[in-house]
Amino acid sequence: MSTVFVHVGQCGNQIGNEFWNIVLDDKIVSLNYATSLRKSVFQNCDGKIRSLHIDGERKVTKKLMLRGTHPSKYIDSSNVLDGRAGFGNNWALGHNGTKWHPADSRCENSLLARAMESFRKQTEKMDYFGGYVMMHSLSGGTGGGFGCRVVESLRDQYPGNYSISVAVAPHSSGESPLQHYNSLLCLASLSENVDSVVLFENDHVLKNCERFQTGAVQSNTDDPPPDRPRVSLKQMNEYVAASLARVFYPVETLLPTASKHPTGAEPWELLRTLCPMPAMKFVQLYQGSNSSSSKSTNKALNSVLHSVRSHHSPVTLSTLAYVFVARGKCVPHVLENRDSISDKIRKGLNCSSWNPFPGEVWTDGTEPCGSQASLTLATNSNVSTQFISRTVKKSRSMFENSAYLHWYEKYGCGKDVFDE
């Protein structure tokens, strides 16, 4: 595969752990290319996965490398990097560092310098380096602040390669008093330095996990279940990881005609289709329930479209582009009804009239998460504007009252940074 996966912070490493649990599972049943797919797409010749795991403190990376955990035997220990004391849930501290924990890559012993050196060595092991996918949170000191510093450094050193950020937004009810500042500063950096941002909002992830648990994923209603299930953080991480695996795992649609050998171009084909304009780069992923018959496939598709509309309510939905991925036993039905399904998706997403080719349909007989079938919809729409507007509004209110600004000024992030 032409991709290096970078996991930064506790959130990024936890999602990464679940992601590798899925794509490296020996129980994945593929029709024709399971072994070669795993070796060539996600692993180097030595069997180690093409990934970096970074955190500001050791406890996260230590858990990652515990013996007995499935991904640990595939992780190159030299690509597991940690700092000494973390970054205190402060974007400025993670991005700028301190004199004790410098973020400057020119300092030989800094975490950033070690990360960039490990990344360079990883790319040199590959026949072809297309780009990287980074998984992190928006509101953390490590995932948000240090993650942005890594992104900026990678853009400087690898300006011609693709870059995708998988960013997780905090709950709107509040996880930290600094989350709005951190999210705003992180989004500003990402918008300048990556080609696409796959945004997951914790509120929406939680809602979908509840629907999956209660079996209401085929129901077109937003009413909460009568007995609201308990959803753990692990289940939310599994949902995010499954969504990513179903779009990043190789599909037969993109297999070369001659060799039929996967090239791992799925992330970059996704980027090419969904982000034709540099200024519009926020992507969302939606999942449908397991489906194998034509009737259940139609219900699952209706559920996915309803999930998109409910996520966007009450603003009028407008979609620039989409990619629809069907896997497993539902593939024959999708291929047979490709045109009608495409028309239904375009109408349901209210695709832009000026885009003559707003979407693509990908199919593959392999379902990496072990289900009989799955439907995944990736969209580039104005859904994210609601989260961004809410974050800007709350940040401005705090800024006008000078709330918590001293925590940022302490680490070289003054009012001029917020004004920009």
Side-chain angles (χ1 to χ4, degrees), residues 7-58:
H7 309 281
V8 182
Q10 182 173 354
C11 174
N13 279 286
Q14 288 178 345
I15 292 175
N17 185 66
E18 300 300 338
F19 176 80
W20 293 115
N21 268 328
I22 294 173
V23 300
L24 296 175
D25 193 347
D26 293 323
K27 297 179 181 179
I28 293 178
V29 179
S30 182
L31 300 179
N32 49 17
Y33 51 85
T35 303
S36 63
L37 181 149
R38 288 184 56 214
K39 293 293 290 184
S40 65
V41 174
F42 294 107
Q43 296 172 277
N44 291 315
C45 296
D46 59 1
K48 301 298 184 180
I49 55 179
R50 301 186 180 105
S51 65
L52 270 68
H53 304 265
I54 308 168
D55 194 67
E57 50 189 340
R58 187 161 296 176

Side-chain angles (χ1 to χ4, degrees), residues 365-395:
T366 304
E367 214 303 303
C369 300
S371 303
Q372 287 190 348
S374 67
L375 303 177
T376 307
L377 186 62
T379 68
N380 182 344
S381 68
N382 56 347
V383 167
S384 300
T385 57
Q386 294 180 87
F387 165 74
I388 296 173
S389 298
R390 184 170 63 247
T391 301
V392 171
K393 181 179 179 181
K394 292 184 178 180
S395 297

